[in-house]
Amino acid sequence: MSDAKEIEKPRVTLHIGVHFTADGYLQRSVSANRARLKAHGVHVPAKRHTWGVISKMLEGLDGLPPIVEEEDEVRRALLGNSGAQHLFLADDRWAAPLRDAVDGETLYPGIGARVAAVAELFSASELQISMALINPAIFMSNSFASGTAPRLLSTFVDQVAPSSLRWRDTVDALRKAVPNVPLLIWAEEDAPLIWPTVMQRLFHLPPEVPVSGRILPLKPLLVEEGFERLKTYLISHPPETTAQYEKVILAFMDKYGREEALAPRCDIPGWDAEAIDVLTAHYEEDLDALAQEEGITLLQPVT
């Protein structure tokens, strides 16, 4: 068994966003499972350090593919003295800074070239790319609320018809750029139900290994009393199956959910309620279509 571990190919998960998904709770989940990840040979370097190492190498390459020694240099710099073999790297800027995500006619128009350049640095590893999607209406509303690049956002809304704004186009561009890299996707709206599964797949943990922080996505969605009651309930009545777990979560969301969090208001200047409905309907269609595509794993609730 030990020999098998020694020759195991190093794994790298590159989580690329998108913006306004896993907001805060992904990092808290990493912190909650740090000891468990270390025990399974997974290292999560600091975000600033990771960005610096990769940006410096890409700048030095100036568009050229890396040689083996340069790939090794990146791995050594990211692993440091951790003693680990595998890496989990997360930064939504790899898909694009938010201002560049709305500078074109599709969301994240440059995602293919940006992610492919980073992916090339890990060609000797078993690479997985992951991303969470979110209702484009919520994405656009949050973008305006963020105060980032208001002029670009206004131009984007003026030039792009709601009916043509599809995540499928963004994902297709990514897949064409890195066709041989498996892609793991989930919907932000499903995260409260499936977060334990998402963490296991992101960190490559065996299904039987329990994870900590499984209800972190629910903290902003439930009133404080409900969140505390949920923690107590799951300890005293541990669900035996994934379906049972999801039913418990749904019941608590129904009883203790914050209405403004579960059904956030969409305020997109220039787009009316009908446009929001079109965006939402197409989002659901896109998720269904992506679930059927080869090379893509879409994590969904079982209930």
Side-chain angles (χ1 to χ4, degrees), residues 246-264:
E246 291 178 6
K247 287 179 180 178
V248 170
I249 299 303
L250 286 171
F252 272 79
M253 289 174 68
D254 183 58
K255 185 172 183 179
Y256 296 105
R258 300 179 188 269
E259 185 176 352
E260 69 279 8
L262 294 177

Side-chain angles (χ1 to χ4, degrees), residues 8-121:
E8 184 179 10
K9 193 173 184 180
R11 293 188 303 268
V12 176
T13 293
L14 191 68
H15 183 68
I16 62 173
V18 299
H19 293 85
F20 313 117
T21 64
D23 197 13
Y25 61 81
L26 174 56
Q27 184 54 50
R28 291 197 294 275
S29 298
V30 168
S31 298
N33 290 279
R34 200 167 292 279
R36 188 171 287 109
L37 295 177
K38 183 177 181 180
H40 285 81
V42 180
H43 180 54
V44 186
K47 186 175 179 179
R48 180 182 296 181
H49 176 64
T50 301
W51 182 262
V53 168
I54 290 179
S55 297
K56 182 180 179 181
M57 179 58 73
L58 291 178
E59 185 178 343
L61 289 170
D62 195 25
L64 296 173
I67 60 175
V68 174
E69 289 76 12
E70 289 165 330
E71 289 188 41
D72 289 343
E73 180 183 339
V74 169
R75 273 187 53 80
R76 287 196 303 270
L78 294 176
L79 288 169
N81 298 320
S82 65
Q85 185 179 11
H86 312 301
L87 286 163
F88 175 75
L89 313 171
D91 199 318
D92 51 26
R93 290 175 294 179
W94 284 321
L98 182 55
R99 61 174 293 114
D100 293 340
V102 293
D103 187 12
E105 296 182 353
T106 60
L107 292 171
Y108 297 89
I111 192 171
R114 292 180 63 91
V115 175
V118 180
E120 246 187 342
L121 297 176

Side-chain angles (χ1 to χ4, degrees), residues 40 42 67 85 133 147 165 168 191 203 222 257-258 267 272 296:
H40 285 81
V42 180
I67 60 175
Q85 185 179 11
L133 301 179
L165 197 60
R168 197 186 312 176
F203 305 144
L222 305 180
R258 300 179 188 269
D267 187 8
D272 57 16
I296 295 178

Side-chain angles (χ1 to χ4, degrees), residues 274-295:
E274 183 179 353
I276 304 301
D277 290 342
V278 168
L279 283 167
T280 302
H282 285 179
Y283 174 49
E284 294 170 356
E285 291 174 7
D286 284 355
L287 289 174
D288 289 341
L290 292 172
Q292 308 303 317
E293 289 196 18
E294 186 177 352

Side-chain angles (χ1 to χ4, degrees), residues 196-197 200 207-208 214 233-249 302-303:
T197 301
Q200 285 177 328
E208 67 274 11
R214 56 182 176 168
Y233 184 88
L234 289 174
I235 292 172
S236 59
H237 301 80
E240 295 182 1
T241 67
T242 299
Q244 288 177 3
Y245 175 81
E246 291 178 6
K247 287 179 180 178
V248 170
I249 299 303
V302 300
T303 52

